[in-house]
Amino acid sequence: MTKPVAMAELWRGGMLESQHLGHAVICDDTGEIVEAWGDPQAVIFPRSSCKMLQALPLLESGAAEAAGLSEAQLALACASHQGAAIHRDMATRWLADLGLSDADLRCGVQEPSDRAERNRLIKADGSPCQVHNNCSGKHCGFLTLNRHLGGGPEYVALDHPVQQAVKAAFEEVTGQDSPGHGIDGCSAPNFATTVTGLARAMAFFAKANPEGDGRNRAAARLTRAMTAYPELVAGEGRACTELMRAMGGKVAIKTGAEAVFVAILPERRRGIALKIVDGGTRAAEAAICALLVREGVLEAGHPATLKRLDAVQKNWRGIEVGIIRKSEGFA
Amino acid sequence: MTKPVAMAELWRGGMLESQHLGHAVICDDTGEIVEAWGDPQAVIFPRSSCKMLQALPLLESGAAEAAGLSEAQLALACASHQGAAIHRDMATRWLADLGLSDADLRCGVQEPSDRAERNRLIKADGSPCQVHNNCSGKHCGFLTLNRHLGGGPEYVALDHPVQQAVKAAFEEVTGQDSPGHGIDGCSAPNFATTVTGLARAMAFFAKANPEGDGRNRAAARLTRAMTAYPELVAGEGRACTELMRAMGGKVAIKTGAEAVFVAILPERRRGIALKIVDGGTRAAEAAICALLVREGVLEAGHPATLKRLDAVQKNWRGIEVGIIRKSEGFA
């Protein structure tokens, strides 16, 4: 088994303070590895980085069309949003359109990370709802598919038709049987795969033909939705939103908990997946920036890049105290 | 150079999801290494884990006695507190006693992590102050020493008598010249040392004679202050506070940013220092728990331990989704 390699580092006072190791794979449109760092066969949980895979059955089944979902709703279905007003409102309307309510969600209640919405709730002595959960869009998608399939209300159970459809699509697009699953923060099953399997899935999305078969059309629509609505996929200030904007809508990217990051590069017909072994988000953001710069789709000097790679760290008084860099030999 | 070793892991669905590497050293009362994992000579920034070292000149100079500091104030000088009302009020009174105000601090403004105080500020449309900064107690200590030494107002400058006194004490107690310094989150210089140097310093505190010379008396008083006021050293819910309480005041421990943790064990006359290479706090907490359990001073089954080691991870719906464990072969 190949060891993970150093990918990102925090330097302070001219000395290395902290270092993150990881695995990364770039696949081409044949699903083969173009380049890899660390162990391409490392088994990982994609966590939220695979939300576009989890949304495939929503489109392929015809459920999205039957429900008249907009492109913005498809973006929200792929989102790990921060529970801002735009996310909260879209999820709330979506549930109402389905004749459902917050109580029908199974993602759980999460305090919004959007500061304006968080502060509004605190000032009003209000409580967050399930629509604030970063996964509420994905769950609205699950509920839309569930209506179409006629399944029971416990749509996050492993043997529920919604999750079985997700599992089948996930294994087909990653090109591997999943070696197992865990339960995600939002209570849905999260299927394990290799870093290569995840990169291969992203390469499939990258080459998906919008005039092709059902799966191709679904993948192409989801990629387009993510790049068209970067503010829905995460939120103001967040890596996915800022970096997709920085790349002018040409590349779709998605983060996942425990430091997973994926990218779909349609023009280059390539997919990228990476996992920082220790789960450090700052390192996953730095590493995906490094790979996107290397692929020529992200400017090294763009402010959204410099917030995460070659990123000056300031302290409480705004004094420069360190920098986050990519490790020597990576990307 | 010895590589860091696996110390803590997150497991999900029966599979390893994330893993943290680190270095750890236990020193005895001669300053020699009893046991080590990873590279005992790894150079690290102790960050806030060395606040009791930074407080030595405050006592040794006679400044603490001249100002009539209480044992609680000495605990706050060693704290990374969460800006709760008790911390805010004590720092505010301390400044007033010195005839100074919030504006004389140089730690910068930080939103309190204490939820009650955070929410109070939001509801009142208030702004956090420098006293809310987790390091404000240390800075009150610096200001007290500064008054005694007659230095200028920029007491965090490297060449200021306060920081020169800190550096001298730091190098003497770690037994090493510091190879360099960085600027900390609170703007004070933070002197680098090896993991062994930091463990040796903690062993000095552990064996310090309360009837001995000035430095011995200072170290013994600071250790006693930390263990007597665990709620001042961090705050409700926090690792330092909960674990010191769990050990019944027999052991002083302190965390530092970027996953440093130290422990002072007076009865065993030992000192511990560890650094998780990636800066992951959860891993530093799990690893120090593992070492304290191994040393026989912390119960493996105590709720404060089980929050951090063999710690069941629950999701937004309270469903068990994973566990944080120590890595095989460590501690």
Side-chain angles (χ1 to χ4, degrees), chain B residues 14 53 59 76 98 133 136 144-145 166 182 184 195 206 237 245 267 301 304:
Chain B
L53 302 187
L59 279 79
L76 198 69
L98 292 169
N133 187 303
S136 68
T144 304
L145 174 60
V166 167
D184 213 331
V195 183
R245 282 179 182 157
E267 289 184 7

Side-chain angles (χ1 to χ4, degrees), chain A residues 12 17-20 47 106 122-123 125 183-185 187 258 275 277-278 282 315 317, chain B residues 12 17-20 47 106 110 122-123 125 183-184 187 258 275 277-278 282 315-317:
Chain A
R12 180 180 303 267
E17 180 168 25
S18 298
Q19 186 181 60
H20 300 266
R47 307 294 299 276
R106 293 290 180 271
I122 290 169
K123 284 190 176 189
D125 285 322
I183 302 300
D184 214 331
S187 295
E258 294 296 324
K275 158 81 179 175
V277 168
D278 59 70
R282 65 181 179 190
N315 73 4
R317 283 170 75 201
Chain B
R12 181 180 302 266
E17 182 168 22
S18 298
Q19 187 180 60
H20 301 265
R47 306 293 299 275
R106 293 292 180 269
Q110 178 184 14
I122 291 169
K123 285 191 176 189
D125 286 320
I183 302 301
D184 213 331
S187 296
E258 294 295 323
K275 158 81 180 175
V277 169
D278 59 72
R282 67 182 179 188
N315 73 4
W316 300 115
R317 284 170 75 202

